[in-house]
Amino acid sequence: MAFRTLLHILSAALLSGCAFAAPATPPAAPSYLARDDVRAFAHELADREGLDVDEVLRALGKARAIPAVIKAILPPATPATRSWYRYRARYLDRLRIDGGVAFWDTHAAALARAEEEFGVPASIIVGIIGVETVYGRVKGNFEVLSALSTLAFDYPPRAELFKRELGQLFVLAHESQRPVESYHGSYAGAIGWPQFLPSSIRAYAVDYDGNGRIDLEGSPVDAIGSVASFLHQHGWQAGQPVAVPAKIGDLQKANAAIETGIEPRYRAAELAQLSVQADSPQSTDLPAALIRLESQEVPDEFWLGYANFYAITRYNRSSFYAMSVYQLAEAVTQARKTKLK
């Protein structure tokens, strides 16, 4: 009896077409062109950059808000305690070290040329591309037009920054003669092997493989030249150190140097007055910043960061980021030397 009753219920449900129907497809996000502020942006951009306003409007009509972009950029509800120990472990692993050796071996000629032309060591270029995208493995698959539109028009805290980048994306697409909706990258609009924002592509990227176009999405050689160009234009000093360990005598005194930030400004004598000295034979009297790398699991590390360390922070304004690039570069260099023995 129970079995026949169940069959009856299932048959009725199937005939009614409701109880077991597939869930309804959610409605498409409304077009940004329905908003006055977006249309005003399109007209202002076209006037300022000499673009066809109808083309700008047509493209913005294809852009859609991406909730995942807002979710990704929002700070966590409960911020995690900063830890260099955990941060470092994310980037100094076998995948990136072994991958860095393979990337260097594959592109040794381009890396050597970039080092000669721009003064930036091959190891640092490898370190940045390794940290950014694991040598092109993780470039992001967000449609950049929609990602930047979402942040420009639906994320007020940083709307002005992302409106500028959205505008730069349109100009970049126009200059490159490709559809603006054809770019894909990170949730924040960073593109290609080195994760350049549109403004950085226009300002610093180079056609390093000589094929007549800049292609950071498909050409690792263009990425190599572009990373070197970026660091060169942000003050990289050829042949100078990046960072050395520091020894602290009196932390209370040393805090005065830590609190002034990551821009190098202290000579060795000034650091000595603050109870700080280099703990390395590679020390120099070049201006330095005192960098504190905080961890909860192990004692904090203290480093002196020179102009080249500061240049890396122009790529990502974080001392953790810059140190991970530097230490990955050193680890790949050592692994490559071991392999070549």
Side-chain angles (χ1 to χ4, degrees):
M1 181 66 69
F3 179 73
R4 283 198 292 270
T5 302
L6 177 59
L7 283 178
H8 178 73
I9 293 170
L10 289 171
S11 298
L14 290 170
L15 288 172
S16 69
C18 59
F20 293 93
T25 302
S31 168
Y32 274 114
L33 288 189
R35 291 172 47 169
D36 291 341
D37 61 331
V38 176
R39 297 183 68 85
F41 167 85
H43 283 276
E44 180 184 344
L45 174 65
D47 288 345
R48 185 177 68 248
E49 301 291 351
L51 303 176
D52 184 329
V53 69
D54 290 333
E55 286 298 307
V56 176
L57 288 167
R58 177 197 62 77
L60 286 172
K62 295 181 178 181
R64 292 293 183 270
I66 306 176
V69 165
I70 299 296
K71 182 178 179 181
I73 204 166
L74 284 174
T78 306
T81 304
R82 279 168 53 86
S83 169
W84 165 240
Y85 176 82
R86 292 196 303 271
Y87 187 98
R88 182 184 186 279
R90 288 164 51 191
Y91 297 106
L92 271 85
D93 56 13
R94 293 315 316 174
L95 177 65
R96 282 182 169 85
I97 295 171
D98 294 343
V101 172
F103 180 83
W104 195 333
D105 288 347
T106 301
H107 301 290
L111 286 161
R113 179 160 56 98
E115 183 166 345
E116 175 68 23
E117 182 176 351
F118 296 104
V120 180
S123 62
I124 295 294
I125 301 170
V126 171
I128 283 184
I129 296 174
V131 167
E132 290 290 342
T133 61
V134 198
Y135 316 105
R137 294 186 186 187
V138 187
K139 293 182 285 189
N141 57 7
F142 287 92
E143 182 194 85
V144 173
L145 171 65
S146 289
L148 288 177
S149 295
T150 300
L151 295 169
F153 304 125
D154 291 325
Y155 186 62
R158 301 183 70 186
E160 291 308 311
L161 165 65
F162 289 111
K163 282 179 182 176
R164 289 195 297 272
E165 290 301 332
L166 180 59
Q168 290 290 295
L169 178 68
F170 274 97
V171 178
L172 173 65
H174 176 74
E175 292 173 342
S176 304
Q177 298 184 325
R178 61 182 280 188
V180 69
E181 62 269 23
S182 69
Y183 292 89
H184 289 78
S186 76
Y187 70 86
I191 295 168
W193 287 69
Q195 293 290 276
F196 274 21
L197 288 170
S199 62
S200 290
I201 296 177
R202 294 192 64 231
Y204 309 112
V206 294
D207 170 23
Y208 218 53
D209 61 14
N211 69 351
R213 63 191 181 93
I214 296 170
D215 179 15
L216 298 187
E217 295 155 278
S219 172
V221 174
D222 282 0
I224 287 166
S226 298
V227 169
S229 169
F230 180 97
L231 292 174
H232 173 74
Q233 293 189 58
H234 282 85
W236 187 273
Q237 297 181 5
Q240 298 299 329
V242 175
V244 298
K247 185 184 296 183
I248 308 298
D250 184 331
L251 183 56
Q252 188 171 359
K253 287 183 178 180
N255 277 333
I258 296 170
E259 290 168 1
T260 58
I262 57 178
E263 185 172 359
R265 62 182 68 191
Y266 294 98
R267 298 280 186 174
E270 296 170 302
L271 288 167
Q273 291 178 351
L274 296 173
S275 195
V276 179
Q277 66 182 61
D279 190 18
S280 167
Q282 295 178 315
S283 63
T284 172
D285 195 33
L286 291 170
L290 180 58
I291 309 298
R292 181 176 189 170
L293 302 176
E294 298 171 302
S295 297
Q296 308 306 309
E297 303 85 352
V298 296
D300 295 353
E301 294 181 23
F302 296 89
W303 290 72
L304 296 180
Y306 300 107
N308 289 340
F309 186 87
Y310 186 71
I312 299 173
T313 68
R314 301 307 86 193
Y315 210 103
N316 181 317
R317 302 190 178 199
S318 159
S319 58
F320 281 16
Y321 174 87
M323 188 57 73
S324 68
V325 166
Y326 174 59
Q327 292 194 4
L328 177 59
E330 294 290 287
V332 172
T333 299
Q334 185 57 50
R336 193 164 183 262
K337 286 180 179 177
T338 301
K339 176 189 171 186
L340 294 174
K341 283 183 179 178

